């Protein structure tokens, strides 16, 4: 009981001591991290996304060479963000990394918010932000918090050195986890270090050295060699550079999310300008530059591939800096209201119920359960066996097909990599192991060269995709056009070994295709049909399309937002069309005797092809070149 004034005074003094103590921060951070735990994949199932997770973990487990043996948006440490029991030890490291980085974010948000709101309000607001922060947004949110704190005139003396040294190491880690996120973090921290007061040249040198040394050490620890650094960088540039043009889509939950996004951007920019109005010019300008860069990054993250998962990343990335700014006593209520509003908007923007985001007890139970699985080898093995059995039941590969697959190394086309793990096959993937992501000419050619090489996969397992066909890819694309050079190698260098209603196994054979012979070159216009030339009964017909890739304003549009959406009509069938790889020559026609058996035939055999595109800023010229060429096939 606190009936006496002296008792109440002692209690208040004790509470102030607790609230100001350093040790309370990691405790609160751990509690918040568990109460906002996002379920990790861990298990391995059938489907496009689970197979991508599976591939990232298997690539790490097998030690595939980055850039030549494996080229993806995730680097050699990608399993840290997407762990699964397919790699066993990758699941262990993944759950540990997830715990550490979520605790780091929650602790950082509480520490930053406590400067303005006090410990209780800081913890509540940190929970509101962490509850909507998924795996992809955690590293960016952590980086922007400390970048803004480093520019605060009242920051502690240790912040800038911490950001210079620790920020370099953190950026290196994230570059090797996921390329695009790591590069974004690298530039955000570089801006903060360059603009923070103090010995800027020295701080930048420390930052650069920390980044390079950490990247080199982690690279070598991942089993990579110095000889493939350039291969990794080349493929990384292709993957990051081609994403906006190839992977843009519109699948938002509501049609007003752009309005909400603009309101959030205005709120964050205005909040930054207001809270730094009395700061030195360098700090104020630096903070606004950081927020401007963050908004650009967040828009790219949220609206290039415009779906509910990426919108959530956008909201979380813009909510975190509101707690990193230092608010005056008269502004705190408005600031807290903005944070809560951002958090509460996450559910309707993503088509979810509030209870799906704010579930502290259930989330903590999930977190503890997944930590137990990750840290206990017995639990990992038990989950792996259960997942393997479930995957086999879903794939249901028959005995004869399985026997054929056990005769050599296997690549899976276009994406069901989980089948390799489920049946313990000898995986020899193409570098871009899910073909829809080979969205530039160079990435497609990288895959084609790997498939044609003598040490490439002996067998290719093909499977039906969306709609029960072998030609429907993601986003309404025509699957053989995702990687056209690779499709050509499949037809020329492989023959059917076994075909069922659901699967086809191809085996390597001698190259049966002759040289290219140009049939006709035409200048095409969008929305105008182009007649397809006829070829002989022993010839394949291809079309090389040029003049589709953006330049000038089109490149600027792709860099700032996303590229122009293109379509291709094959008679009356219309598909989404990725322009980049088309310069390698898309398959147009093949006689049935030269194509693969149904339902796995590759050629569409149209009488006409028609290209369409979106208009607007940077949409490019209205004409292009089509070079039809044929290839004679020896039966």
């Amino acid at each position: 009981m606190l009936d006496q004034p002296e008792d109440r005074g002692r209690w208040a003094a004790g509470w102030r001591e607790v609230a100001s103590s350093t040790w309370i921060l990691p405790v609160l951070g751990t509690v918040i991290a568990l109460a906002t735990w996002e379920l990790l994949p861990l298990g391995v199932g059938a489907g496009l996304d689970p197979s991508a997770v599976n591939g990232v973990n298997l690539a790490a487990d097998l030690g595939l060479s980055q850039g030549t043996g494996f080229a993806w948006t995730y680097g050699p440490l990608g399993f840290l963000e997407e762990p699964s029991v397919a790699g066993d030890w990758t699941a262990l490291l993944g759950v540990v990394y997830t715990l550490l980085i979520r605790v780091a974010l929650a602790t950082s948000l509480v520490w930053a918010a406590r400067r303005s709101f006090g410990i209780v309000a800081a913890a509540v607001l940190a929970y509101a932000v962490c509850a909507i922060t998924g795996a992809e947004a955690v590293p960016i949110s952590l980086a922007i918090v400390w970048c803004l704190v480093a520019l605060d005139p009242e920051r502690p003396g240790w912040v800038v050195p911490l950001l210079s040294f620790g920020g370099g190491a953190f950026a290196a880690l994230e570059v090797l986890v996921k390329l695009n996120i790591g590069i974004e973090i690298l530039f955000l921290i570089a801006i903060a270090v360059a603009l923070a007061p103090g010995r800027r040249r020295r701080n930048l040198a420390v930052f650069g050295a920390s980044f390079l040394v950490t990247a080199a050490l982690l690279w070598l620890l991942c089993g990579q060699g110095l000889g493939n650094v350039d291969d990794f960088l080349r493929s990384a540039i292709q993957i990051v550079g081609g994403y906006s043009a190839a992977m843009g889509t519109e699948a938002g939950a509501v049609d007003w999310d752009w309005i909400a996004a603009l309101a959030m951007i205005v709120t964050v920019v205005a909040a930054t300008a207001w809270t730094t109005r009395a700061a030195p010019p360098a700090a104020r300008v630096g903070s606004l530059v950081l927020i401007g860069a963050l908004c650009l990054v967040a828009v790219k993250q949220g609206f290039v591939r415009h779906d509910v998962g990426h919108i959530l990343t956008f909201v979380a990335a813009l909510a975190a800096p509101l707690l990193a700014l230092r608010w005056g006593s008269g502004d705190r209520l408005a600031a807290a209201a903005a944070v809560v509003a951002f958090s509460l908007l996450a559910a309707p923007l993503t088509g979810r119920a509030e209870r799906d985001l704010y579930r502290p007890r259930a989330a903590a139970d999930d977190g503890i359960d997944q930590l137990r699985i990750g840290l206990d080898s017995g639990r990992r093995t038990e989950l792996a066996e259960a997942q393997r059995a479930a995957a086999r039941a879903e794939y249901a590969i028959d005995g004869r097909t399985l026997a054929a697959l056990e005769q050599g190394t296997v690549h899976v086309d276009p994406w069901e990599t989980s089948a390799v793990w489920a049946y313990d096959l000898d995986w020899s993937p193409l570098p871009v192991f899910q073909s829809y992501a080979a969205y530039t000419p160079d990435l497609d050619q990288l895959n084609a060269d790997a498939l044609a090489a003598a040490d490439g996969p002996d067998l290719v397992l093909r499977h039906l995709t969306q709609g029960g066909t072998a030609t429907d890819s993601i986003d309404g694309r025509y699957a053989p056009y995702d990687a056209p050079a690779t499709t050509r190698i499949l037809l020329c260098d492989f023959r059917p070994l076994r075909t069922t209603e659901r699967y086809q196994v191809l085996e390597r054979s001698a190259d049966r295709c002759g040289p290219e012979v140009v049939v006709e070159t035409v200048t095409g216009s969008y929305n105008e049909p182009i007649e397809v030339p006829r070829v002989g009964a022993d010839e394949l017909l291809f079309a090389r399309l040029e003049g589709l890739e953006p330049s000038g304003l089109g490149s600027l549009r792709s860099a700032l937002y996303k590229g122009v959406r293109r379509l291709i009509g094959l008679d009356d069938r219309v598909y989404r069309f990725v322009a980049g790889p088309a310069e390698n020559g898309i398959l147009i026609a093949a006689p049935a005797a030269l194509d693969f058996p149904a339902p796995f035939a590759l050629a569409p055999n149209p009488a006409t092809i028609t290209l369409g595109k979106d208009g607007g800023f940077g949409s490019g010229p209205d004409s292009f070149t089509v070079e039809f060429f044929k290839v004679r096939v020896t039966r």
Side-chain angles (χ1 to χ4, degrees):
M1 299 295 292
L2 300 176
D3 295 331
Q4 302 301 319
E6 57 270 21
D7 293 333
R8 292 193 292 270
R10 284 195 296 269
W11 183 89
W15 170 248
R16 284 194 297 271
E17 182 179 352
V18 169
S20 61
S21 298
T22 303
W23 61 264
I24 195 65
L25 296 174
V27 172
L28 288 173
T30 302
V31 171
I32 293 171
L34 288 174
T36 58
W37 186 269
E38 181 189 34
L39 276 172
L40 298 169
L42 284 189
V44 180
L48 187 148
D49 288 340
S51 288
V53 172
N54 178 49
V56 169
N57 284 262
L58 285 179
D61 195 42
L62 296 173
L64 297 181
S65 295
Q66 293 286 320
T68 53
F70 189 80
W72 200 245
T73 52
Y74 290 94
L77 293 175
F79 62 87
L80 293 179
E81 186 175 305
E82 298 283 355
S84 86
V85 292
D88 188 47
W89 60 270
T90 62
L92 165 62
L93 294 182
V95 296
V96 171
Y97 163 84
T98 300
L99 176 66
L100 292 177
I101 196 168
R102 292 196 76 91
V103 169
L105 175 62
T107 303
S108 299
L109 288 172
V110 175
W111 179 88
R114 185 175 67 170
R115 300 171 305 157
S116 301
F117 298 100
I119 192 68
V120 174
V124 172
L125 294 173
Y127 171 81
V129 173
C130 289
I132 63 170
T133 305
E136 195 164 275
V138 171
I140 294 176
S141 299
L142 182 60
I144 193 63
V145 165
W146 287 105
C147 286
L148 288 173
V149 169
L151 295 179
D152 181 359
E154 299 180 34
R155 69 194 175 281
W158 49 265
V159 170
V160 173
L162 172 68
L163 189 66
S164 302
F165 183 78
F170 181 58
L173 171 69
E174 292 302 324
V175 162
L176 298 184
V177 171
K178 194 171 186 184
L179 295 171
N180 57 320
I181 299 296
I183 291 171
E184 291 161 3
I185 289 171
L186 175 66
F187 280 103
L188 286 174
I189 299 177
I191 291 171
V193 171
L195 296 177
R199 301 171 63 182
R200 292 189 174 95
R201 290 185 180 179
R202 179 180 179 278
N203 291 338
L204 278 172
V206 169
F207 172 72
S210 174
F211 174 82
L212 292 174
V213 170
T214 303
L217 289 175
L218 291 175
W219 182 259
L220 295 174
L221 285 172
C222 290
Q224 302 298 312
L226 296 179
N228 66 314
V229 170
D230 58 333
D231 297 313
F232 172 72
L233 292 176
R234 276 197 299 270
S235 65
I237 291 170
Q238 291 290 315
I239 290 168
V240 174
Y243 181 85
S244 292
M247 298 300 291
T249 190
E250 293 293 329
V254 294
D255 58 5
W256 50 271
D257 51 11
W258 259 114
I259 299 173
L262 289 173
M264 291 178 186
I265 290 172
V266 169
T267 299
V268 174
V269 172
T272 305
W274 177 256
T275 56
T276 60
R277 64 192 183 280
R284 190 176 198 209
V285 171
S287 297
L288 288 170
V289 168
L290 271 176
I291 290 300
L294 176 70
C295 289
L296 177 60
V297 165
V299 168
K300 293 279 286 184
Q301 286 291 322
F303 289 92
V304 171
R305 192 151 186 85
H306 183 187
D307 56 30
V308 294
H310 290 89
I311 288 295
L312 191 63
T313 298
F314 170 88
V315 178
L318 290 190
L322 292 176
L323 294 185
L325 299 171
R326 193 184 288 271
W327 297 91
S329 58
D331 307 323
R332 291 169 187 166
L333 183 59
V339 173
V340 172
F342 276 34
S343 185
L344 292 177
L345 271 172
L349 285 173
T350 57
R352 308 183 190 189
E354 301 288 351
R355 63 179 178 274
D356 295 330
L357 295 176
Y358 310 108
R359 45 192 294 273
R361 183 171 180 178
D365 289 341
D366 290 339
I368 292 171
D369 183 57
Q370 291 203 313
L371 285 168
R372 286 175 176 171
I373 292 172
L375 297 174
D376 187 333
S377 61
R379 289 174 182 262
R380 293 199 305 273
T381 301
E382 182 180 347
L383 177 60
E385 291 307 313
Q387 291 289 306
R388 194 187 305 273
R392 287 185 176 184
E394 188 164 355
Y395 285 122
I397 297 179
D398 65 276
R400 288 181 59 191
T401 302
L402 186 59
L405 291 170
E406 291 172 342
Q407 295 178 17
T409 57
V410 180
H411 166 67
V412 183
D413 181 66
W415 55 66
E416 288 290 352
T417 304
S418 293
V420 171
W421 177 79
Y423 289 95
D424 198 24
L425 302 175
D426 190 355
W427 191 42
S428 179
L430 302 187
V432 186
F433 67 98
Q434 292 187 328
S435 59
Y436 72 86
Y439 42 60
T440 71
D442 289 345
L443 291 174
D444 177 26
Q445 195 59 53
L446 179 68
N447 269 10
D449 291 343
L451 186 62
D455 60 351
D458 302 315
L459 305 163
V460 175
L461 172 63
R462 299 182 66 207
H463 59 85
L464 300 185
T465 59
Q466 288 100 325
T469 75
T471 55
D472 288 335
S473 183
I474 68 167
D475 300 339
R477 300 188 206 169
Y478 188 70
Y481 292 175
D482 281 341
T486 310
T487 296
R488 182 174 170 182
I489 296 297
L490 275 178
L491 267 178
C492 292
D493 290 15
F494 286 78
R495 68 176 183 87
L497 179 61
R498 176 166 171 76
T499 302
T500 70
E501 292 182 353
R502 189 174 174 185
Y503 298 105
Q504 182 177 69
V505 180
L506 305 177
E507 67 173 350
R508 183 178 297 278
S509 65
D511 184 358
R512 59 176 183 159
C513 293
E516 299 179 7
V517 177
V518 176
V519 176
E520 182 183 5
T521 300
V522 300
T523 298
S525 298
Y526 287 98
N527 302 316
E528 294 293 331
I530 299 171
E531 291 190 9
V532 173
R534 294 179 180 274
V535 293
D538 59 350
E539 294 172 329
L540 306 174
L541 180 68
F542 297 85
R544 183 174 287 114
L545 285 79
E546 298 180 340
L548 303 178
E549 282 288 81
S551 60
L553 291 177
S555 298
L556 180 63
R557 170 176 171 163
S558 184
L560 294 177
Y561 179 42
K562 58 184 172 187
V564 176
R565 185 178 68 103
R566 287 178 169 81
L567 304 172
I568 187 167
L570 305 172
D571 289 338
D572 58 350
R573 295 163 293 168
V574 179
Y575 298 91
R576 168 81 183 276
F577 188 60
V578 177
E583 68 180 55
N584 290 340
I586 60 175
L587 177 64
I588 299 296
L594 302 182
D595 207 341
F596 295 140
F600 291 95
L602 293 169
N605 298 314
T608 62
I609 61 174
T610 308
L611 265 63
K613 67 171 182 175
D614 292 337
F617 167 74
S619 61
D622 292 328
S623 62
F624 51 88
T625 301
V626 182
E627 180 186 72
F628 290 102
F629 63 91
K630 63 184 179 181
V631 172
R632 186 177 297 276
V633 177
T634 302
R635 301 196 188 188

